[in-house]
Structure formats: C-alpha cells, structure tokens
C-alpha cells in the first residue's frame, strides 16, 4: 500500500475490466432500503458517482439473502447510541472522507451505513486490501493440498519452471514464499528499471514478470531481506498460485473462494503478466468484505466448510515481523499480507487483525469480541482508527 495515493489516477483504470458483472438494481431511497447503484451508474467511474442525497444509517440491516445473518445493534450487542453518534459525525465529514462502515458481531451483521459515493451493490476499490485476499487464496491452495506449510520455506523459484536462473542476480534463487509473504524478499528494483518495465510490457507476460524482477534487482543479501513494503512481492505469490493449482489462478480464486462465499458482484482486474492482480485493482462490496472478515474470524471456515488452512491462517495473522515504514503506526506488525496490532479501548487491550488498503479500506477482526468492522473510503489522511479505538471497540467491550 502507498499512503497518500493519487486515487483518481489509480481508479481511472480500475473499472475498465472485470471478472464478473453487476446485477441491475433500483435507485437510491427505494422503500427505505440501502441505496443501490442503478444499472447506468454501474458503468461509470467511481469518481463520477453522484454523492448520496443523505447518508444511509441502519442499525437493523436487511436480510439480503446473501449468506450474511443479520441482527439489531443494541439488542444483539453493542452500544447503539455510541455507534449512531459516531456515524453521524462521519456522515457530516468530521472524521475524513469515508464511504461505508459496517459492523458484525457474534456472527450477525448489526450495523450498516453508506455515505458519499457508496452503494450497497457497488464494489468499492480495495487498494492494498487486495494483498490480504491473495494471501487467503494461497491458504486455500494449501487447504486443498496443492501446497504444504513446509513449502512456505522453499525457494519460490522452485515452483516456477519457465525461468532462466543463469540470469538471476546473486541470492535470487534463495527467496522463499515466506519471505515474499512477509515483504522481506530483499528485492530492490530501481526506478529506472521500473520505467523500463513500463516500456516493455511484453517482457512481463506470464513468468516473465518473475524473471524480470529477479534479474533486475540489486543482489539479494541477508541485509536486504528485511521488511520493506511493496516491490511486487504479492505478484510473486500469485505466480506460485498460478503454477500449482489446476487450471488458472483466476478460475481457482473464483471457484474455490468467491463462489463458495457467494461473492459474485466484484471486480478483479488482470495484471500485465496476464494473472489476476495480487496487490491492488480489485473491488468488493462492503458486504463482501464482511464475508472475508467472517472467514478470518472463524479460523478459515465458511458455513462449516474449512476453506483456508487453519495452520496457514494462524501464521498469516500472527506478528511475524515489524511493519517499519514511517507511515506505519508504531504498534503495527505484519504476517502474510495481514497486519496485527493491539488496540486500546478504555482500560482494556484487544488484539486485532487487519486487511488494510490506502484511503481507509479495512477489514478489522477482533477475535476476543467476535467483532468484524468493515470500512471503505477515499481519505488521504486515513485517521479512522482513532474512532475505532475511542468509540467502536468500547461499544462492544466486555
């Protein structure tokens, strides 16, 4: 994730392609239901979506027959007054530019709200939250036996058969899946080389992307294999998924994850390599994000079926390394494309796992409270975690 993203530039291409399509929907303010994008609105840029005439705030979310159980805030958990007061402030723009806030507790969606350009049926750009989905796709491959936990410590190139190792920089052959997943591969590619990639996209087709990375990087050393966010490391993981699953990574993700969770309204773009994007350029509805949160908080199970290897998910959501860029909060740690932190709420502390993308995209799970918080936004300052700590967690604290 890159903080202070130039969102319009990022999103300008986001809606050009898709692995799925929207279902035509009715307009805003229909019978008091959550606002929906019209068929025409689904075809325009996110940035051209008209703002809602008024924020939609619902403490008794409707059962949309989408596989998410619903309940009532205050009755099934949570302090309703605290939450409603907060979201009214969000709607008034007092906490930045956010598009939705949803809260699920003890298996039920208890609160749903949309502001600005958001609609219940409109997939919202995910930015680097995409990396967390890529991680779970790898966990699905492990659950199905296409990889093992031991494979995480094997050289990443051992799974890729179309490479020429004679052209690798020193140390490239030793990069493991574990290191790529923890942003510690050691790959360092200069801006000049990256510009060269842009001028020669054919070079990046298929496993040519990996070849280009591993022959264009500075030498890989023990000193370079420390946490450094970015570097196309999520692309390396997607390349391994493509190599080990039957068929394609695109079909695998659709059939073995999205379809099983009943997620059909999404956008997952294709990268220059021809594989699914691994680090950005995916869009999900806010309710679909709740489903990903349910999958994580239930230790990889969806409606009783073990979709993600429990062992893998435990590792992915553990504090493997420290997140060290200056834009990372001081108490943030990193697992396999998932963040971990400790959130103070009043006089208590809670461990939380986060999928986090620039602009405010978040899936936050707090296992001790059986709590899932989903947030979408387009906010450069991205300060919403203060309100999560001050208001939302205390509203559900034991």
């Amino acid at each position: 994730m890159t903080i202070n993203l130039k969102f319009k530039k990022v999103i300008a291409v986001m809606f050009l392609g898709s692995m799925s399509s929207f279902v035509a929907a009715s307009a805003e303010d229909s019978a008091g239901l959550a606002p929906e994008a019209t068929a025409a609105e689904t075809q325009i840029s996110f940035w051209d979506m008209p703002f809602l005439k008024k924020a939609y705030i619902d403490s008794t979310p409707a059962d949309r027959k989408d596989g998410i159980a619903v309940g009532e805030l205050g009755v099934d958990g949570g302090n309703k007054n605290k939450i409603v007061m907060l979201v009214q402030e969000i709607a008034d723009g007092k906490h930045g530019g956010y598009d939705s806030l949803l809260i699920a507790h003890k298996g039920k969606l208890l609160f749903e709200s949309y502001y600005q350009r958001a609609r219940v049926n409109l997939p919202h750009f995910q930015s680097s939250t995409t990396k967390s989905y890529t991680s779970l796709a790898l966990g699905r491959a492990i659950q199905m036996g296409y990889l093992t936990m031991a494979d995480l410590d094997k050289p990443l190139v051992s799974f890729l058969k179309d490479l020429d190792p004679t052209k690798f920089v020193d140390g490239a052959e030793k990069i493991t899946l574990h290191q790529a997943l923890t942003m510690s591969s050691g790959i360092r590619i200069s801006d000049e080389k990256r510009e060269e990639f842009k001028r020669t996209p054919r070079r990046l087709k298929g496993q040519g992307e990996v070849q280009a990375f591993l022959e264009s990087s500075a030498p890989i050393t023990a000193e370079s294999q420390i946490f450094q966010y970015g570097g196309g490391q999520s692309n390396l993981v997607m390349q391994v998924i493509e190599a080990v699953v039957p068929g394609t990574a695109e079909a695998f993700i659709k059939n073995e994850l999205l379809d099983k969770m009943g997620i059909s309204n999404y956008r997952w773009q294709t990268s220059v390599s021809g594989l699914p994007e691994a680090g950005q350029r995916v869009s999900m509805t806010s309710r679909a994000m709740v489903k990903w949160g349910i999958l994580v908080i239930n230790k990889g199970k969806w409606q009783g079926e073990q979709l993600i290897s429990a062992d893998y998910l435990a590792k992915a959501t553990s504090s493997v390394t420290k997140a060290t860029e200056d834009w990372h909060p001081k108490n943030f740690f990193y697992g396999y494309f998932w963040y971990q932190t400790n959130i103070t709420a009043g006089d208590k502390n809670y461990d939380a796992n986060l999928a986090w993308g620039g602009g405010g995209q978040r899936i936050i799970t707090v296992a001790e409270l059986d709590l899932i918080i989903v947030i979408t936004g387009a906010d450069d300052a991205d300060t919403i975690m203060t309100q999560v700590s001050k208001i939302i967690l205390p509203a559900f604290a034991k």
Side-chain angles (χ1 to χ4, degrees):
M1 176 180 50
T2 300
I3 299 300
N4 295 322
L5 290 174
K6 301 298 184 183
F7 287 108
K8 292 193 178 183
K9 291 182 180 178
V10 173
I11 303 305
V13 296
M14 183 174 288
F15 291 89
L16 296 179
S18 170
M19 283 165 54
S20 64
S21 60
F22 283 107
V23 177
S26 58
E28 177 190 350
D29 291 337
S30 174
L33 299 177
E36 298 190 1
T38 66
E41 287 173 337
T42 64
Q43 304 304 312
I44 65 176
S45 164
F46 172 86
W47 299 104
D48 291 330
M49 280 292 293
F51 274 33
L52 292 169
K53 296 174 184 176
K54 59 182 179 180
Y56 179 83
I57 300 172
D58 191 353
S59 59
T60 55
D63 184 356
R64 298 180 67 89
K65 310 300 181 185
D66 58 0
I68 299 176
V70 296
E72 182 177 351
L73 182 65
V75 174
D76 295 305
N79 184 313
K80 180 177 178 179
N81 291 337
K82 285 185 177 181
I83 300 298
V84 171
M85 186 178 299
L86 169 63
V87 298
Q88 188 58 62
E89 291 178 355
I90 294 173
D92 293 339
K94 294 182 179 180
H95 301 295
Y98 291 93
D99 297 314
S100 72
L101 170 64
L102 287 74
I103 302 173
H105 179 55
K106 295 184 177 179
K108 295 180 179 180
L109 180 64
L110 304 187
F111 185 80
E112 186 172 23
S113 59
Y114 299 95
Y115 333 97
Q116 302 191 133
R117 300 178 179 89
R119 307 293 190 273
V120 66
N121 67 324
L122 184 66
H124 193 287
F125 63 89
Q126 299 292 285
S127 300
S128 285
T129 302
T130 300
K131 294 178 177 65
S132 301
Y133 305 146
T134 297
S135 176
L136 295 181
L138 187 74
R140 179 61 177 153
I142 291 175
Q143 176 63 25
M144 296 187 71
Y146 300 124
L147 288 166
T148 68
M149 290 295 290
D151 288 333
L152 297 174
D153 293 315
K154 292 181 180 178
L156 185 144
V157 297
S158 67
F159 303 100
L160 307 175
K161 306 305 181 185
D162 299 332
L163 303 177
D164 182 358
T166 66
K167 296 181 179 180
F168 292 169
V169 299
D170 290 346
E173 74 285 353
K174 298 179 181 179
I175 299 170
T176 65
L177 258 177
H178 170 87
Q179 289 168 329
L181 286 160
T182 55
M183 295 288 182
S184 55
S185 69
I187 293 174
R188 302 289 186 268
I189 299 175
S190 67
D191 291 341
E192 291 77 14
K193 287 290 186 181
R194 292 184 186 280
E195 287 300 318
E196 184 181 320
F197 292 167
K198 292 179 182 178
R199 294 192 297 271
T200 57
R202 288 188 178 182
R203 180 185 178 190
L204 305 180
K205 293 298 181 183
Q207 291 182 22
E209 177 183 49
V210 183
Q211 184 74 42
F213 286 179
L214 298 187
E215 65 182 57
S216 301
S217 172
I220 309 298
T221 66
E223 290 73 23
S224 70
Q225 287 189 308
I226 59 174
F227 182 90
Q228 185 175 84
Y229 196 91
Q233 294 168 97
S234 56
N235 297 36
L236 301 178
V237 175
M238 186 63 76
Q239 288 278 358
V240 172
I241 295 171
E242 174 85 4
V244 302
V245 302
T248 64
E250 177 180 330
F252 179 78
I253 292 168
K254 178 182 183 298
N255 297 334
E256 294 299 336
L257 275 176
L258 297 167
D259 284 357
K260 286 184 177 293
M261 291 192 290
I263 298 174
S264 59
N265 183 8
Y266 63 93
R267 298 178 186 267
W268 200 309
Q269 299 222 29
T270 301
S271 75
V272 67
S273 69
L275 277 60
E277 285 281 7
Q280 58 181 349
R281 299 178 73 226
V282 166
S283 297
M284 294 276 167
T285 67
S286 299
R287 280 198 171 213
M289 294 169 73
V290 170
K291 291 185 176 185
W292 289 103
I294 292 171
L295 185 64
V296 169
I297 211 164
N298 286 338
K299 299 182 179 180
K301 287 186 177 181
W302 176 259
Q303 296 181 344
E305 181 181 359
Q306 192 75 46
L307 294 187
I308 311 300
S309 160
D311 289 341
Y312 174 84
L313 189 58
K315 185 74 171 181
T317 56
S318 64
S319 299
V320 178
T321 189
K322 183 75 174 65
T324 55
E325 265 81 0
D326 57 7
W327 49 266
H328 282 117
K330 291 182 179 180
N331 63 337
F332 268 48
F333 293 82
Y334 206 67
Y336 290 165
F337 300 156
W338 280 81
Y339 288 96
Q340 295 75 44
T341 191
N342 185 270
I343 301 178
T344 300
D347 59 353
K348 294 187 177 181
N349 295 308
Y350 297 96
D351 291 329
N353 297 120
L354 298 91
W356 179 21
Q361 324 326 312
R362 283 182 180 81
I363 303 170
I364 304 168
T365 65
V366 184
E368 185 176 347
L369 299 177
D370 201 351
L371 183 68
I372 300 164
I373 304 164
V374 161
I375 302 165
T376 61
D379 187 80
D380 280 341
D382 194 10
T383 58
I384 197 66
M385 286 301 290
T386 300
Q387 305 310 317
V388 171
S389 175
K390 287 174 56 178
I391 306 298
I392 300 178
L393 258 64
F396 290 88
K398 296 178 180 179

